[in-house]
Amino acid sequence: MTVASKRGKAPASKTRPHPPARTPPRINPSESPLAWLRRRKDADGNPLIGAAEFAAGERFRSDYTRAGLMPRLTVNWDQPFSDGGPGGVGHMLDVAIDARKRVRGILDMLGPEMGHLVIDVCCHLKGLTEAEADRAWPRRSAKIVLDMALRQLARHYGYGDHVAPSRRNGTRHWAEDGYRPTIDGDDIAD
């Protein structure tokens, strides 16, 4: 007789429980200076930054994070301790390499002043006042420079006045509106 059955408990099942379903990461909109600028209205009642500029800043933040350029605050337990083979400490994923290339290209395009400001505000989540103090800029100048940088970033990503739909919000395709053929005939019901 097993110990579990002596205590009146059923023996443990040999099947492993299913892992919990993956949920998307929660985003705290109050932590992002871009979200704050998006919520704030100007004198005419329009947001201080548009949807395209906000999406471009968040996309840059995503690339910057994927590139592994954010400073770590804790030990990285995801990496194995061996140097050999794929997935070792010395091996960098293709995703990170591609993201670093994209970030480098964007920073080259923006130049040092706008590029460093975009990194501070979008990636390191510094407020505009703190960014101005770090650079010894006059008040409200960071907002103007950030606005120019985000507009250039939105053009780089191909965002016009509207934001391209994400993969979760709908299928993206190359065709224009009305590209589907029509079928003439009385035998097809609507």
Side-chain angles (χ1 to χ4, degrees), residues 88-127:
V89 175
H91 179 74
M92 182 180 280
L93 297 173
D94 290 339
V95 172
I97 293 171
D98 290 341
R100 282 188 182 199
K101 287 179 184 176
R102 288 191 301 271
V103 168
R104 175 57 47 208
I106 289 169
L107 293 177
D108 288 343
M109 175 196 63
L110 290 176
E113 292 82 13
M114 287 194 286
H116 290 290
L117 181 65
V118 168
I119 288 173
D120 282 348
V121 174
C122 297
C123 304
H124 296 294
L125 305 177
K126 286 186 179 180

mmCIF file of all heavy atoms in Angstrom, residues 88-127:
data_model
loop_
_atom_site.group_PDB
_atom_site.id
_atom_site.type_symbol
_atom_site.label_atom_id
_atom_site.label_comp_id
_atom_site.label_asym_id
_atom_site.label_seq_id
_atom_site.Cartn_x
_atom_site.Cartn_y
_atom_site.Cartn_z
ATOM 1 N N GLY A 88 23.164 28.987 -27.469
ATOM 2 C CA GLY A 88 24.154 29.202 -26.426
ATOM 3 C C GLY A 88 24.330 30.679 -26.136
ATOM 4 O O GLY A 88 23.758 31.543 -26.803
ATOM 5 N N VAL A 89 25.119 30.976 -25.128
ATOM 6 C CA VAL A 89 25.329 32.361 -24.724
ATOM 7 C C VAL A 89 25.934 33.172 -25.867
ATOM 8 O O VAL A 89 25.584 34.325 -26.082
ATOM 9 C CB VAL A 89 26.227 32.409 -23.479
ATOM 10 C CG1 VAL A 89 26.566 33.835 -23.108
ATOM 11 C CG2 VAL A 89 25.556 31.712 -22.317
ATOM 12 N N GLY A 90 26.846 32.572 -26.624
ATOM 13 C CA GLY A 90 27.511 33.296 -27.700
ATOM 14 C C GLY A 90 26.677 33.432 -28.963
ATOM 15 O O GLY A 90 27.090 34.078 -29.918
ATOM 16 N N HIS A 91 25.515 32.834 -28.998
ATOM 17 C CA HIS A 91 24.684 32.824 -30.202
ATOM 18 C C HIS A 91 23.587 33.886 -30.094
ATOM 19 O O HIS A 91 22.807 33.887 -29.169
ATOM 20 C CB HIS A 91 24.065 31.438 -30.361
ATOM 21 C CG HIS A 91 23.178 31.330 -31.558
ATOM 22 N ND1 HIS A 91 23.672 31.265 -32.830
ATOM 23 C CD2 HIS A 91 21.833 31.279 -31.672
ATOM 24 C CE1 HIS A 91 22.658 31.170 -33.674
ATOM 25 N NE2 HIS A 91 21.537 31.184 -32.992
ATOM 26 N N MET A 92 23.540 34.799 -31.041
ATOM 27 C CA MET A 92 22.496 35.812 -31.044
ATOM 28 C C MET A 92 21.433 35.427 -32.059
ATOM 29 O O MET A 92 21.750 35.032 -33.172
ATOM 30 C CB MET A 92 23.085 37.178 -31.394
ATOM 31 C CG MET A 92 22.063 38.285 -31.357
ATOM 32 S SD MET A 92 22.769 39.864 -31.781
ATOM 33 C CE MET A 92 23.507 40.277 -30.234
ATOM 34 N N LEU A 93 20.202 35.514 -31.671
ATOM 35 C CA LEU A 93 19.108 35.140 -32.559
ATOM 36 C C LEU A 93 19.017 36.062 -33.771
ATOM 37 O O LEU A 93 19.363 37.240 -33.699
ATOM 38 C CB LEU A 93 17.787 35.191 -31.795
ATOM 39 C CG LEU A 93 17.656 34.225 -30.630
ATOM 40 C CD1 LEU A 93 16.381 34.515 -29.867
ATOM 41 C CD2 LEU A 93 17.646 32.805 -31.145
ATOM 42 N N ASP A 94 18.570 35.495 -34.861
ATOM 43 C CA ASP A 94 18.395 36.295 -36.080
ATOM 44 C C ASP A 94 17.421 37.449 -35.865
ATOM 45 O O ASP A 94 17.579 38.519 -36.455
ATOM 46 C CB ASP A 94 17.886 35.415 -37.221
ATOM 47 C CG ASP A 94 18.925 34.445 -37.723
ATOM 48 O OD1 ASP A 94 20.130 34.703 -37.486
ATOM 49 O OD2 ASP A 94 18.565 33.436 -38.352
ATOM 50 N N VAL A 95 16.442 37.230 -35.017
ATOM 51 C CA VAL A 95 15.461 38.279 -34.743
ATOM 52 C C VAL A 95 16.148 39.496 -34.132
ATOM 53 O O VAL A 95 15.890 40.639 -34.521
ATOM 54 C CB VAL A 95 14.362 37.748 -33.799
ATOM 55 C CG1 VAL A 95 13.434 38.858 -33.351
ATOM 56 C CG2 VAL A 95 13.583 36.638 -34.469
ATOM 57 N N ALA A 96 17.030 39.266 -33.182
ATOM 58 C CA ALA A 96 17.735 40.368 -32.535
ATOM 59 C C ALA A 96 18.673 41.068 -33.515
ATOM 60 O O ALA A 96 18.788 42.297 -33.502
ATOM 61 C CB ALA A 96 18.505 39.865 -31.328
ATOM 62 N N ILE A 97 19.328 40.304 -34.368
ATOM 63 C CA ILE A 97 20.241 40.897 -35.352
ATOM 64 C C ILE A 97 19.460 41.768 -36.329
ATOM 65 O O ILE A 97 19.864 42.902 -36.627
ATOM 66 C CB ILE A 97 21.017 39.799 -36.100
ATOM 67 C CG1 ILE A 97 21.972 39.087 -35.139
ATOM 68 C CG2 ILE A 97 21.792 40.385 -37.270
ATOM 69 C CD1 ILE A 97 22.618 37.848 -35.720
ATOM 70 N N ASP A 98 18.322 41.255 -36.813
ATOM 71 C CA ASP A 98 17.500 42.041 -37.735
ATOM 72 C C ASP A 98 16.973 43.302 -37.058
ATOM 73 O O ASP A 98 16.937 44.375 -37.663
ATOM 74 C CB ASP A 98 16.340 41.200 -38.259
ATOM 75 C CG ASP A 98 16.792 40.104 -39.199
ATOM 76 O OD1 ASP A 98 17.920 40.188 -39.726
ATOM 77 O OD2 ASP A 98 16.011 39.142 -39.409
ATOM 78 N N ALA A 99 16.552 43.173 -35.807
ATOM 79 C CA ALA A 99 16.040 44.337 -35.081
ATOM 80 C C ALA A 99 17.142 45.367 -34.877
ATOM 81 O O ALA A 99 16.899 46.574 -34.991
ATOM 82 C CB ALA A 99 15.446 43.904 -33.744
ATOM 83 N N ARG A 100 18.358 44.922 -34.595
ATOM 84 C CA ARG A 100 19.478 45.865 -34.430
ATOM 85 C C ARG A 100 19.765 46.601 -35.733
ATOM 86 O O ARG A 100 20.070 47.789 -35.729
ATOM 87 C CB ARG A 100 20.723 45.143 -33.951
ATOM 88 C CG ARG A 100 20.674 44.847 -32.490
ATOM 89 C CD ARG A 100 21.968 44.304 -31.986
ATOM 90 N NE ARG A 100 21.804 43.992 -30.575
ATOM 91 C CZ ARG A 100 22.798 43.847 -29.742
ATOM 92 N NH1 ARG A 100 24.037 43.956 -30.162
ATOM 93 N NH2 ARG A 100 22.569 43.576 -28.478
ATOM 94 N N LYS A 101 19.670 45.895 -36.852
ATOM 95 C CA LYS A 101 19.878 46.551 -38.148
ATOM 96 C C LYS A 101 18.808 47.610 -38.391
ATOM 97 O O LYS A 101 19.101 48.702 -38.887
ATOM 98 C CB LYS A 101 19.862 45.520 -39.271
ATOM 99 C CG LYS A 101 21.110 44.658 -39.321
ATOM 100 C CD LYS A 101 21.008 43.640 -40.443
ATOM 101 C CE LYS A 101 22.207 42.703 -40.450
ATOM 102 N NZ LYS A 101 22.067 41.656 -41.478
ATOM 103 N N ARG A 102 17.556 47.289 -38.062
ATOM 104 C CA ARG A 102 16.470 48.267 -38.245
ATOM 105 C C ARG A 102 16.678 49.481 -37.343
ATOM 106 O O ARG A 102 16.519 50.622 -37.790
ATOM 107 C CB ARG A 102 15.117 47.614 -37.962
ATOM 108 C CG ARG A 102 14.665 46.648 -39.026
ATOM 109 C CD ARG A 102 13.217 46.232 -38.842
ATOM 110 N NE ARG A 102 12.936 45.602 -37.564
ATOM 111 C CZ ARG A 102 13.036 44.289 -37.332
ATOM 112 N NH1 ARG A 102 13.411 43.482 -38.293
ATOM 113 N NH2 ARG A 102 12.733 43.801 -36.140
ATOM 114 N N VAL A 103 17.038 49.242 -36.092
ATOM 115 C CA VAL A 103 17.260 50.353 -35.158
ATOM 116 C C VAL A 103 18.428 51.210 -35.632
ATOM 117 O O VAL A 103 18.340 52.444 -35.638
ATOM 118 C CB VAL A 103 17.497 49.817 -33.727
ATOM 119 C CG1 VAL A 103 18.022 50.909 -32.813
ATOM 120 C CG2 VAL A 103 16.219 49.228 -33.157
ATOM 121 N N ARG A 104 19.515 50.599 -36.055
ATOM 122 C CA ARG A 104 20.677 51.346 -36.539
ATOM 123 C C ARG A 104 20.304 52.189 -37.753
ATOM 124 O O ARG A 104 20.691 53.353 -37.864
ATOM 125 C CB ARG A 104 21.819 50.387 -36.884
ATOM 126 C CG ARG A 104 23.045 50.997 -37.499
ATOM 127 C CD ARG A 104 23.724 52.096 -36.724
ATOM 128 N NE ARG A 104 23.908 51.785 -35.327
ATOM 129 C CZ ARG A 104 23.956 52.707 -34.372
ATOM 130 N NH1 ARG A 104 23.816 53.983 -34.678
ATOM 131 N NH2 ARG A 104 24.126 52.380 -33.119
ATOM 132 N N GLY A 105 19.547 51.626 -38.689
ATOM 133 C CA GLY A 105 19.125 52.385 -39.866
ATOM 134 C C GLY A 105 18.252 53.573 -39.501
ATOM 135 O O GLY A 105 18.389 54.662 -40.067
ATOM 136 N N ILE A 106 17.355 53.380 -38.546
ATOM 137 C CA ILE A 106 16.482 54.477 -38.114
ATOM 138 C C ILE A 106 17.292 55.563 -37.422
ATOM 139 O O ILE A 106 17.084 56.754 -37.670
ATOM 140 C CB ILE A 106 15.363 53.931 -37.200
ATOM 141 C CG1 ILE A 106 14.384 53.113 -38.035
ATOM 142 C CG2 ILE A 106 14.649 55.056 -36.472
ATOM 143 C CD1 ILE A 106 13.398 52.319 -37.237
ATOM 144 N N LEU A 107 18.214 55.167 -36.561
ATOM 145 C CA LEU A 107 19.032 56.166 -35.863
ATOM 146 C C LEU A 107 19.924 56.933 -36.836
ATOM 147 O O LEU A 107 20.135 58.137 -36.666
ATOM 148 C CB LEU A 107 19.858 55.509 -34.762
ATOM 149 C CG LEU A 107 19.040 54.945 -33.600
ATOM 150 C CD1 LEU A 107 19.945 54.264 -32.603
ATOM 151 C CD2 LEU A 107 18.200 56.026 -32.948
ATOM 152 N N ASP A 108 20.434 56.261 -37.862
ATOM 153 C CA ASP A 108 21.206 56.959 -38.889
ATOM 154 C C ASP A 108 20.334 57.959 -39.637
ATOM 155 O O ASP A 108 20.782 59.056 -39.976
ATOM 156 C CB ASP A 108 21.830 55.965 -39.869
ATOM 157 C CG ASP A 108 22.979 55.173 -39.260
ATOM 158 O OD1 ASP A 108 23.505 55.592 -38.205
ATOM 159 O OD2 ASP A 108 23.338 54.122 -39.833
ATOM 160 N N MET A 109 19.088 57.576 -39.912
ATOM 161 C CA MET A 109 18.172 58.454 -40.615
ATOM 162 C C MET A 109 17.801 59.670 -39.757
ATOM 163 O O MET A 109 17.768 60.795 -40.248
ATOM 164 C CB MET A 109 16.895 57.695 -40.992
ATOM 165 C CG MET A 109 15.828 58.558 -41.625
ATOM 166 S SD MET A 109 14.202 57.796 -41.663
ATOM 167 C CE MET A 109 13.814 57.591 -39.953
ATOM 168 N N LEU A 110 17.548 59.459 -38.469
ATOM 169 C CA LEU A 110 17.109 60.544 -37.595
ATOM 170 C C LEU A 110 18.241 61.489 -37.199
ATOM 171 O O LEU A 110 17.993 62.662 -36.911
ATOM 172 C CB LEU A 110 16.466 59.978 -36.325
ATOM 173 C CG LEU A 110 15.123 59.292 -36.490
ATOM 174 C CD1 LEU A 110 14.676 58.695 -35.170
ATOM 175 C CD2 LEU A 110 14.082 60.257 -37.022
ATOM 176 N N GLY A 111 19.447 60.993 -37.157
ATOM 177 C CA GLY A 111 20.558 61.817 -36.693
ATOM 178 C C GLY A 111 20.686 61.732 -35.182
ATOM 179 O O GLY A 111 19.800 61.224 -34.495
ATOM 180 N N PRO A 112 21.789 62.245 -34.643
ATOM 181 C CA PRO A 112 22.050 62.048 -33.214
ATOM 182 C C PRO A 112 21.075 62.770 -32.281
ATOM 183 O O PRO A 112 20.663 62.209 -31.272
ATOM 184 C CB PRO A 112 23.473 62.573 -33.036
ATOM 185 C CG PRO A 112 23.744 63.435 -34.211
ATOM 186 C CD PRO A 112 22.887 62.923 -35.319
ATOM 187 N N GLU A 113 20.675 63.996 -32.589
ATOM 188 C CA GLU A 113 19.803 64.739 -31.679
ATOM 189 C C GLU A 113 18.420 64.107 -31.599
ATOM 190 O O GLU A 113 17.929 63.797 -30.519
ATOM 191 C CB GLU A 113 19.682 66.213 -32.104
ATOM 192 C CG GLU A 113 20.960 67.002 -31.953
ATOM 193 C CD GLU A 113 21.918 66.816 -33.117
ATOM 194 O OE1 GLU A 113 21.503 66.268 -34.172
ATOM 195 O OE2 GLU A 113 23.088 67.199 -32.973
ATOM 196 N N MET A 114 17.800 63.908 -32.745
ATOM 197 C CA MET A 114 16.461 63.327 -32.737
ATOM 198 C C MET A 114 16.498 61.854 -32.335
ATOM 199 O O MET A 114 15.610 61.379 -31.637
ATOM 200 C CB MET A 114 15.792 63.498 -34.117
ATOM 201 C CG MET A 114 15.360 64.912 -34.388
ATOM 202 S SD MET A 114 14.240 65.073 -35.797
ATOM 203 C CE MET A 114 15.336 64.841 -37.165
ATOM 204 N N GLY A 115 17.522 61.132 -32.768
ATOM 205 C CA GLY A 115 17.617 59.708 -32.456
ATOM 206 C C GLY A 115 17.731 59.444 -30.970
ATOM 207 O O GLY A 115 17.038 58.577 -30.424
ATOM 208 N N HIS A 116 18.590 60.198 -30.288
ATOM 209 C CA HIS A 116 18.750 60.000 -28.850
ATOM 210 C C HIS A 116 17.493 60.415 -28.087
ATOM 211 O O HIS A 116 17.145 59.803 -27.076
ATOM 212 C CB HIS A 116 19.974 60.752 -28.333
ATOM 213 C CG HIS A 116 21.259 60.155 -28.797
ATOM 214 N ND1 HIS A 116 21.718 58.944 -28.338
ATOM 215 C CD2 HIS A 116 22.173 60.585 -29.697
ATOM 216 C CE1 HIS A 116 22.867 58.655 -28.925
ATOM 217 N NE2 HIS A 116 23.163 59.636 -29.762
ATOM 218 N N LEU A 117 16.808 61.450 -28.564
ATOM 219 C CA LEU A 117 15.564 61.860 -27.919
ATOM 220 C C LEU A 117 14.493 60.780 -28.076
ATOM 221 O O LEU A 117 13.771 60.470 -27.125
ATOM 222 C CB LEU A 117 15.070 63.192 -28.492
ATOM 223 C CG LEU A 117 13.780 63.723 -27.869
ATOM 224 C CD1 LEU A 117 14.002 64.067 -26.401
ATOM 225 C CD2 LEU A 117 13.282 64.933 -28.636
ATOM 226 N N VAL A 118 14.384 60.192 -29.268
ATOM 227 C CA VAL A 118 13.409 59.120 -29.494
ATOM 228 C C VAL A 118 13.716 57.921 -28.595
ATOM 229 O O VAL A 118 12.812 57.323 -28.016
ATOM 230 C CB VAL A 118 13.374 58.721 -30.995
ATOM 231 C CG1 VAL A 118 12.614 57.438 -31.207
ATOM 232 C CG2 VAL A 118 12.747 59.826 -31.816
ATOM 233 N N ILE A 119 14.989 57.581 -28.447
ATOM 234 C CA ILE A 119 15.361 56.476 -27.557
ATOM 235 C C ILE A 119 14.972 56.798 -26.122
ATOM 236 O O ILE A 119 14.379 55.970 -25.418
ATOM 237 C CB ILE A 119 16.867 56.167 -27.656
ATOM 238 C CG1 ILE A 119 17.173 55.498 -28.985
ATOM 239 C CG2 ILE A 119 17.310 55.255 -26.510
ATOM 240 C CD1 ILE A 119 18.648 55.314 -29.252
ATOM 241 N N ASP A 120 15.283 58.009 -25.665
ATOM 242 C CA ASP A 120 14.969 58.374 -24.286
ATOM 243 C C ASP A 120 13.463 58.363 -24.013
ATOM 244 O O ASP A 120 13.013 57.854 -22.995
ATOM 245 C CB ASP A 120 15.536 59.760 -23.952
ATOM 246 C CG ASP A 120 17.024 59.729 -23.678
ATOM 247 O OD1 ASP A 120 17.586 58.622 -23.517
ATOM 248 O OD2 ASP A 120 17.633 60.815 -23.625
ATOM 249 N N VAL A 121 12.679 58.936 -24.916
ATOM 250 C CA VAL A 121 11.241 59.071 -24.672
ATOM 251 C C VAL A 121 10.493 57.773 -24.985
ATOM 252 O O VAL A 121 9.693 57.302 -24.172
ATOM 253 C CB VAL A 121 10.657 60.248 -25.481
ATOM 254 C CG1 VAL A 121 9.149 60.317 -25.345
ATOM 255 C CG2 VAL A 121 11.285 61.559 -25.027
ATOM 256 N N CYS A 122 10.747 57.171 -26.144
ATOM 257 C CA CYS A 122 9.995 55.984 -26.551
ATOM 258 C C CYS A 122 10.460 54.716 -25.837
ATOM 259 O O CYS A 122 9.636 53.881 -25.471
ATOM 260 C CB CYS A 122 10.100 55.771 -28.062
ATOM 261 S SG CYS A 122 9.390 57.090 -29.033
ATOM 262 N N CYS A 123 11.759 54.556 -25.656
ATOM 263 C CA CYS A 123 12.297 53.293 -25.149
ATOM 264 C C CYS A 123 12.591 53.332 -23.654
ATOM 265 O O CYS A 123 12.253 52.402 -22.926
ATOM 266 C CB CYS A 123 13.562 52.921 -25.915
ATOM 267 S SG CYS A 123 13.297 52.841 -27.693
ATOM 268 N N HIS A 124 13.247 54.396 -23.197
ATOM 269 C CA HIS A 124 13.590 54.489 -21.785
ATOM 270 C C HIS A 124 12.511 55.198 -20.970
ATOM 271 O O HIS A 124 12.655 55.366 -19.761
ATOM 272 C CB HIS A 124 14.936 55.192 -21.610
ATOM 273 C CG HIS A 124 16.071 54.435 -22.220
ATOM 274 N ND1 HIS A 124 16.486 53.214 -21.753
ATOM 275 C CD2 HIS A 124 16.858 54.717 -23.278
ATOM 276 C CE1 HIS A 124 17.498 52.788 -22.485
ATOM 277 N NE2 HIS A 124 17.734 53.668 -23.430
ATOM 278 N N LEU A 125 11.438 55.630 -21.642
ATOM 279 C CA LEU A 125 10.237 56.209 -21.035
ATOM 280 C C LEU A 125 10.540 57.435 -20.173
ATOM 281 O O LEU A 125 9.922 57.654 -19.138
ATOM 282 C CB LEU A 125 9.488 55.150 -20.219
ATOM 283 C CG LEU A 125 9.106 53.880 -20.984
ATOM 284 C CD1 LEU A 125 8.433 52.894 -20.056
ATOM 285 C CD2 LEU A 125 8.230 54.199 -22.173
ATOM 286 N N LYS A 126 11.473 58.250 -20.629
ATOM 287 C CA LYS A 126 11.747 59.504 -19.944
ATOM 288 C C LYS A 126 10.696 60.523 -20.352
ATOM 289 O O LYS A 126 10.267 60.571 -21.502
ATOM 290 C CB LYS A 126 13.129 60.053 -20.325
ATOM 291 C CG LYS A 126 14.281 59.322 -19.706
ATOM 292 C CD LYS A 126 15.576 60.035 -20.032
ATOM 293 C CE LYS A 126 16.754 59.340 -19.409
ATOM 294 N NZ LYS A 126 18.007 60.057 -19.730
ATOM 295 N N GLY A 127 10.323 61.360 -19.428
ATOM 296 C CA GLY A 127 9.403 62.438 -19.734
ATOM 297 C C GLY A 127 10.104 63.548 -20.505
ATOM 298 O O GLY A 127 11.334 63.630 -20.538
#
